[in-house]
């Protein structure tokens, strides 16, 4: 009788220990995904070019003068009227909420943490730093701000795109644009030196 009761007790204890472990594991997973992970800089989150300017002021100021930085303005009614007419677009129409235009005139449209609207995400209008270099949330706080002389490879492994790649550029620089014809050819090497920000020496070695 006693051996039977002992076996039952052990089974009962084992059951509760197992149940407690399951609860602990599930609680930890819940905390990680809903409380911890997403309270911090998370993969896919865009931070805006002004954050990049904190360390790259000269690059930012140079970029601010480019067509890419000001590309969103083209979507406004009355802007670039002749160019729009030649492309068969209505120069008096407001394209600032047109889903066909926004992917190539904003930063991160349609992506997690990317551009939503000029009203909700004004810091992501135009083709910003992250359009070419990847969402800053993947590498700014996790790599760059932790160590000023970080290694470029570490940032690249975390999500930085440097140097920019041709496929990334071709998502917008292609024949689908209403401003170019079907015969349009994008010269990646040539464009790397045109229409982009100037390159200045970095303060730290990477």
């Amino acid at each position: 009788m006693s051996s039977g009761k002992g076996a039952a007790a052990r089974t009962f204890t084992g059951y509760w220990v197992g149940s407690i472990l399951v609860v602990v594991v599930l609680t930890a997973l819940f905390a990680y995904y809903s409380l911890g992970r997403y309270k911090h800089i998370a993969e896919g989150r865009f931070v805006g070019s002004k954050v990049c300017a904190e360390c790259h002021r000269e690059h930012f100021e140079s970029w601010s003068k480019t067509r890419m930085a000001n590309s969103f303005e083209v979507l406004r009614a009355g802007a670039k009227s002749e160019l729009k007419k030649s492309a068969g677009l209505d120069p008096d129409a407001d394209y600032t909420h047109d889903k066909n235009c926004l992917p190539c005139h904003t930063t991160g449209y349609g992506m997690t943490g990317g551009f939503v609207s000029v009203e909700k995400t004004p810091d992501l209008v135009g083709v910003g730093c992250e359009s070419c270099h990847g969402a800053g949330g993947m590498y700014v706080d996790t790599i760059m701000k932790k160590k000023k002389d970080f290694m470029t490879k570490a940032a690249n492994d975390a999500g930085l795109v440097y140097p920019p790649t041709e496929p990334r550029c071709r998502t917008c620089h292609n024949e689908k644009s209403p401003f170019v014809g079907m015969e349009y050819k994008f010269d990646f090497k040539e464009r790397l030196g045109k229409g982009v920000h100037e390159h200045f020496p970095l303060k730290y070695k990477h």
Side-chain angles (χ1 to χ4, degrees):
M1 291 292 290
S2 59
S3 61
K5 289 182 178 180
R10 287 193 295 273
T11 300
F12 181 80
T13 301
Y15 170 81
W16 280 108
V17 169
S19 298
I20 291 172
L21 285 174
V22 170
V23 170
V24 169
V25 170
L26 290 176
T27 301
L29 287 173
F30 174 81
Y32 174 74
Y33 282 103
S34 64
L35 301 177
R37 182 179 178 185
Y38 294 108
K39 274 192 173 182
H40 301 283
I41 296 297
E43 182 176 343
R45 178 179 171 185
F46 290 78
V47 299
S49 296
K50 290 181 181 178
V51 172
C52 304
E54 293 175 13
C55 293
H56 301 285
R57 173 57 58 180
E58 292 177 307
H59 296 80
F60 175 80
E61 291 178 352
S62 174
W63 162 81
S64 297
K65 301 171 185 176
T66 66
R67 288 171 59 186
M68 290 197 296
N70 298 285
S71 61
F72 187 80
E73 300 307 308
V74 178
L75 304 181
R76 298 188 186 280
K80 301 288 183 180
S81 295
E82 294 305 315
L83 182 63
K84 287 177 180 175
K85 287 180 181 178
S86 66
L89 300 174
D90 182 355
D92 297 318
D94 181 0
Y95 293 97
T96 59
H97 293 83
D98 192 315
K99 65 180 181 180
N100 294 314
C101 304
L102 293 176
C104 293
H105 291 264
T106 63
T107 301
Y109 177 73
M111 302 179 188
T112 303
F115 178 87
V116 176
S117 68
V118 64
E119 295 82 10
K120 294 182 179 179
T121 51
D123 287 343
L124 295 177
V125 300
V127 180
C129 307
E130 296 164 285
S131 294
C132 300
H133 297 294
M138 297 188 287
Y139 53 82
V140 173
D141 275 17
T142 55
I143 303 294
M144 294 181 173
K145 288 189 177 181
K146 284 187 175 181
K147 188 179 181 183
K148 296 296 184 183
D149 58 345
F150 64 89
M151 292 292 99
T152 299
K153 184 180 184 305
N156 280 339
D157 289 344
L160 170 70
V161 180
Y162 182 81
T165 61
E166 184 170 355
R168 181 171 288 267
C169 298
R170 283 187 177 278
T171 57
C172 287
H173 290 279
N174 57 55
E175 66 280 358
K176 293 179 182 179
S177 169
F179 297 109
V180 298
M182 292 302 292
E183 301 301 317
Y184 173 75
K185 300 295 182 183
F186 176 68
D187 190 323
F188 177 67
K189 291 183 179 179
E190 178 187 357
R191 290 305 297 268
L192 279 178
K194 290 175 59 179
V196 297
H197 64 74
E198 292 181 66
H199 292 81
F200 301 91
L202 300 177
K203 185 176 181 180
Y204 300 94
K205 290 185 177 181
H206 300 295

